[in-house]
Amino acid sequence: MEKVETGSVANAKNKYERMDLQEQEEDDEDLEVKWMQRRKDTKKYVYACAIFASLNSILLGYDVGVMSGAILYIEKDLHITEFQEEILVGCLSVVSLIGSLSGGRTSDAIGRKWTMGLGAIVFQSGMAIMTFAPSFTYLMIGRLIAGIGIGFGAMISGVYIAEISPADARGTLTSLIEICINLGILLGYVSNYAFSGFSEHINWRIMLGVGILPSVFIGVALFIIPESPRWLVMENRLNEARSVLVKLSETDIEVEQRMEEIEEAARASKGYEDKAVWRELLNPSPAVRRMLYAGCGIQFFQQITGIDATVYYSPTIFKNAGIESDKEILAATVAVGFSKTIFILVAIYLVDKVGRKPLLYVSTIGMTFCLFVLGAALTVPNSAFGIDLAILAVCSNVAFFSIGMGPVCWVLSSEIFPLRLRAQASALGQVGGRVSSGLVSMSFLSASRVISVSGVFFVFSAISAISVAFVKFCIPETKEKTLEQIEMMFRGEKKDSNRGELEFGDAEHLIRDGK
């Protein structure tokens, strides 16, 4: 009898142990389901914030695309000279420096996202003035105001996205800026083609006026996206920063680790007033000097290789190649816009998989070859072969640009500077790009008269060859490193750059295993 009772107790004990084990397994499964759901929600939220922040870049792209076609009709309607045409097209790049340089200080004062909003309002005002401009003078005033607005948006979008992104997706998310620029260019080209049938007094005004619409969506986006957690920490709004990081991070452990890294970087920034920041930028330490070489240099080579000349003056290039009809010229520019937009998707897919430098190598070498071929094609104008080769060379050049030099420039410029310098240094990095863009845009027609259009593209090809060497010697690989780890890399510290990612991975496994 006692043995029976003992056996019953043992059976009951085993039964309860099995039940406990089953309940534990169910709890583990529930925990894993919750973690997977949080991971999915976090990824959607981060991507949504990055997309909304990138909308600012559509303004820049649309302006570049639409002016290439609108200038054909502005020239006829307002009877402007070739010199006025160059100034009108190229001044935006130079004037945008005012917005870029003041945007760094503004974003440190009022926050990243409201600086984006301010840029959209300024751009809207400029485009409205241009749309109703009765003369070249009013057109220039509107253009200058729009340029300042574009400078605000171009500078701060990359900084914002870099500061909200996890290390393993930062390259992809920051590349969204370039795809929005390309989308804007494509929309500008399509707008040119769609409204070219109206009278010369009306069509270019409609083309420019449509550019106001994207900034309306930006205004709506500002009420959806959060402020940068890094800026909130700098303002000592720690609870708000942690609340934002909860939405941006996949695990609570990741929240605390990111918070700790940001607070450490913020403590290192204490006492850095605006004068101190500029003093450090103008008299940099070896580490900051290397950052400036990389950040400013990549912006410079992005533009000095002639991408704006290719985009702004693609109608002029195709006309020089032998295409006579304005409608056919604008149709060819739409093909350029599609090429530029489609190939940015390749970069977005690869930038966090293969890294920044491999894409830059492919991009700069490909551009060098295509620019040389374009120069050769333009030496035999008015032939079917020359026209086809010119269109292929232009489309291929913008495709190679979109694979690397276009998006990676924004990625590197927004991630290589430390927190205390990031906004101001990113603004300074725009100087090389904006000045070289302005010089290229404002001198293209004049230089073409002196050395021919084909000669100009041979020069661009030579400069592009130099950019290959720049990538080799001045650009580090930053794939999968946190912003704080990138700073340590430039300082030459030997910490394990993958430590943070390993800890996040270990935390995920612990959660899934129920430990």
Side-chain angles (χ1 to χ4, degrees):
M1 187 70 178
E2 185 178 342
K3 288 182 179 179
V4 174
E5 288 179 355
T6 302
S8 299
V9 171
N11 290 335
K13 184 178 179 181
N14 290 336
K15 179 181 178 182
Y16 284 121
E17 285 178 349
R18 287 195 299 272
M19 290 175 62
D20 289 342
L21 183 60
Q22 185 176 358
E23 289 176 359
Q24 181 65 42
E25 290 175 351
E26 290 175 355
D27 289 342
D28 290 347
E29 289 176 3
D30 290 342
L31 194 61
E32 184 170 358
V33 169
K34 288 178 181 178
W35 178 80
M36 291 295 291
Q37 185 61 45
R38 177 172 175 176
R39 185 178 187 183
K40 184 187 293 185
D41 292 343
T42 297
K43 188 171 290 188
K44 286 181 180 177
Y45 185 74
V46 173
Y47 268 84
C49 291
I51 290 170
F52 282 132
S54 300
L55 291 178
N56 249 308
S57 303
I58 291 181
L59 305 179
L60 173 60
Y62 186 84
D63 181 90
V64 171
V66 79
M67 282 302 293
S68 68
I71 196 68
L72 298 175
Y73 303 105
I74 292 173
E75 185 180 3
K76 296 174 183 176
D77 184 32
L78 299 183
H79 308 291
I80 64 175
T81 65
E82 186 178 272
F83 175 73
Q84 289 175 320
E85 179 183 344
E86 283 185 317
I87 296 298
L88 182 64
V89 170
C91 72
L92 181 134
S93 295
V94 177
V95 173
S96 65
L97 279 176
I98 299 173
S100 295
L101 293 173
S102 58
R105 175 72 181 275
T106 304
S107 69
D108 282 343
I110 67 173
R112 311 314 196 203
K113 75 171 187 175
W114 296 115
T115 301
M116 288 188 276
L118 179 61
I121 292 172
V122 175
F123 177 82
Q124 276 183 323
S125 304
M127 291 300 284
I129 293 172
M130 291 178 69
T131 300
F132 298 102
S135 66
F136 176 75
T137 302
Y138 284 96
L139 200 61
M140 278 296 299
I141 293 172
R143 185 85 169 146
L144 296 176
I145 295 173
I148 294 173
I150 283 177
F152 269 104
M155 186 283 300
I156 201 60
S157 295
V159 172
Y160 175 84
I161 294 173
E163 291 187 346
I164 67 166
S165 303
D168 61 352
R170 189 175 57 251
T172 298
L173 294 173
T174 313
S175 297
L176 292 174
I177 294 174
E178 184 64 20
I179 196 171
C180 283
I181 291 176
N182 290 332
L183 180 59
I185 290 173
L186 178 59
L187 290 174
Y189 284 155
V190 171
S191 177
N192 289 337
Y193 186 78
F195 300 119
S196 60
F198 289 84
S199 70
E200 291 174 357
H201 181 66
I202 297 296
N203 55 10
W204 64 269
R205 298 179 187 276
I206 299 175
M207 295 172 188
L208 297 179
V210 170
I212 297 174
L213 295 179
S215 57
V216 175
F217 292 104
I218 294 170
V220 175
L222 293 178
F223 295 95
I224 299 175
I225 63 176
E227 184 52 85
S228 161
R230 286 174 169 83
W231 181 81
L232 291 171
V233 171
M234 288 289 288
E235 294 295 300
N236 205 31
R237 293 157 62 176
L238 303 183
N239 290 335
E240 292 178 58
R242 183 173 275 102
S243 298
V244 172
L245 284 173
V246 168
K247 298 178 182 178
L248 300 174
S249 305
E250 296 177 2
T251 67
D252 291 337
I253 295 175
E254 183 181 347
V255 171
E256 293 307 318
Q257 182 160 12
R258 290 176 72 176
M259 190 72 185
E260 183 181 341
E261 288 182 342
I262 294 170
E263 286 186 275
E264 184 179 347
R267 281 192 295 271
S269 304
K270 293 278 179 158
Y272 272 84
E273 298 177 355
D274 190 52
K275 289 181 181 178
V277 169
W278 282 108
R279 194 181 305 123
E280 182 171 0
L281 291 175
L282 297 176
N283 186 25
S285 64
V288 174
R289 187 179 296 113
R290 286 191 290 271
M291 294 174 189
L292 290 172
Y293 284 155
C296 296
I298 194 73
Q299 295 263 8
F300 174 78
F301 278 108
Q302 185 197 50
Q303 297 299 328
I304 202 65
T305 47
I307 188 63
D308 275 3
T310 307
V311 175
Y312 272 129
Y313 294 108
S314 52
T316 301
I317 296 168
F318 294 138
K319 186 178 290 186
N320 195 268
I323 303 177
E324 297 179 356
S325 165
D326 284 350
K327 200 78 172 177
E328 291 179 1
I329 288 173
L330 294 178
T333 62
V334 172
V336 174
F338 271 111
S339 300
K340 201 170 187 302
T341 303
I342 289 171
F343 277 89
I344 185 62
L345 299 176
V346 177
I348 287 179
Y349 178 75
L350 293 177
V351 68
D352 282 318
K353 295 181 182 297
V354 303
R356 284 55 159 159
K357 289 193 74 166
L359 292 182
L360 285 175
Y361 279 131
V362 171
S363 178
T364 50
I365 293 171
M367 288 170 61
T368 301
F369 176 76
C370 292
L371 289 166
F372 184 86
V373 170
L374 178 57
L378 294 174
T379 60
V380 284
N382 300 314
S383 69
F385 175 75
I387 291 173
D388 292 342
L389 188 60
I391 294 174
L392 178 62
V394 172
C395 290
S396 299
N397 181 58
V398 298
F400 276 112
F401 178 87
S402 292
I403 285 175
M405 204 59 157
V408 174
C409 174
W410 297 107
V411 175
L412 286 170
S413 298
S414 60
E415 69 183 3
I416 63 174
F417 297 108
L419 180 59
R420 67 179 183 278
L421 305 176
R422 187 167 297 135
Q424 305 285 42
S426 296
L428 184 62
Q430 295 275 330
V431 172
R434 294 298 91 201
V435 169
S436 55
S437 172
L439 289 175
V440 167
S441 301
M442 289 192 286
S443 64
F444 178 79
L445 296 178
S446 301
S448 297
R449 282 201 312 273
V450 177
I451 61 174
S452 77
V453 177
S454 62
V456 172
F457 283 102
F458 284 135
V459 172
F460 287 149
S461 178
I463 296 172
S464 184
I466 297 172
S467 71
V468 179
F470 169 79
V471 170
K472 177 175 177 58
F473 294 109
C474 297
I475 300 297
E477 183 56 72
T478 57
K479 180 172 74 83
E480 293 186 350
K481 293 179 174 64
T482 68
L483 298 178
E484 290 70 29
Q485 289 165 354
I486 292 171
E487 180 181 355
M488 289 189 293
M489 178 179 65
F490 274 100
R491 291 205 306 256
E493 296 184 13
K494 300 297 184 182
K495 274 191 178 182
D496 182 2
S497 63
N498 292 319
R499 180 183 59 83
E501 282 75 10
L502 288 173
E503 287 179 355
F504 289 158
D506 292 342
E508 292 165 5
H509 288 305
L510 285 173
I511 291 172
R512 286 199 296 269
D513 295 339
K515 294 180 181 178

